Amino acid sequence: MPQKNNDLLKRAYRPLELLLISGVIVVFAVVLVEVVSRYIFHRSIAWGSEVCQTLLVWMTFLGAAVALVGGEHMEINIMMDRIKSRTLKKFLLLIGDLATLLFLVCGAAGGVRLVQRTWGMTTTTLQIPAGILYLAFPIGCALMMIVILRNITRLFGREG
């Protein structure tokens, strides 16, 4: 696909980057307050670890999608660099993208089932639905599916 469409998807995911930055700041602040509270006032903040745990799970799966759209996931190209045939490279990239897509579809489906089973439960200190924690996985999978589908269409586009 043309570079313009690539920039469009990156711009669409930009709010996720800002959300991730905010999450890191909140986790840092909560941990700092927790440490000060525990070691200076000898009192622990009951909800601190639960907030951090939930934010870290969400940041993991949203961050995976942001990294994927930016092409920042680790890849090992030793074999791909040795292949001279452009057609074979495209075919292998397609196989890799389809395998990733299959994993993401299965993950999203399983994640939705897990969210449905845990939504009625509440967390210990925050008293929010436990499914909120698990909702990060299917949402992250869905966001990554969009990127993989973009990658597949790019393989068959004018520049692919």
Side-chain angles (χ1 to χ4, degrees):
M1 281 207 160
Q3 187 67 26
K4 184 178 178 183
N5 288 339
N6 183 28
D7 291 341
L8 180 65
L9 190 59
K10 281 186 179 182
R11 278 195 309 246
Y13 278 58
R14 179 74 177 138
L16 291 176
E17 290 181 34
L18 300 175
L19 197 60
L20 291 168
I21 291 167
S22 301
V24 169
I25 292 168
V26 170
V27 168
F28 174 78
V30 170
V31 169
L32 183 65
V33 169
E34 175 71 21
V35 168
V36 169
S37 176
R38 188 174 290 185
Y39 290 102
I40 293 179
F41 302 114
H42 305 291
R43 290 226 154 113
S44 181
I45 299 172
W47 50 265
S49 63
E50 204 168 283
V51 166
C52 289
Q53 176 188 19
T54 303
L55 285 175
L56 287 170
V57 168
W58 274 90
M59 289 176 358
T60 297
F61 293 108
L62 294 181
V66 169
L68 188 60
V69 79
E72 297 169 3
H73 279 283
M74 183 181 76
E75 54 184 45
I76 301 171
N77 291 325
I78 295 170
M79 295 303 290
M80 290 297 278
D81 291 343
R82 294 175 186 219
I83 296 172
K84 302 296 182 211
S85 168
R86 187 174 161 117
T87 305
L88 181 57
K89 277 187 182 185
K90 283 174 102 173
F91 175 73
L92 293 174
L93 288 171
L94 177 64
I95 294 298
D97 284 343
L98 289 174
T100 303
L101 188 62
L102 177 64
F103 171 82
L104 292 171
V105 167
C106 292
V112 167
R113 285 192 301 273
L114 181 61
V115 169
Q116 290 170 338
R117 283 197 314 259
T118 58
W119 198 263
M121 302 174 197
T122 57
T123 60
T124 308
T125 56
L126 295 176
Q127 294 297 303
I128 59 173
I132 288 175
L133 178 71
Y134 300 111
L135 187 60
F137 185 62
I139 288 177
C141 285
L143 291 169
M144 288 185 273
M145 280 187 253
I146 294 167
V147 179
I148 294 298
L149 290 171
R150 186 253 350 234
N151 292 350
I152 290 171
T153 58
R154 185 186 285 165
L155 280 174
F156 297 104
R158 285 176 279 176
E159 294 180 10

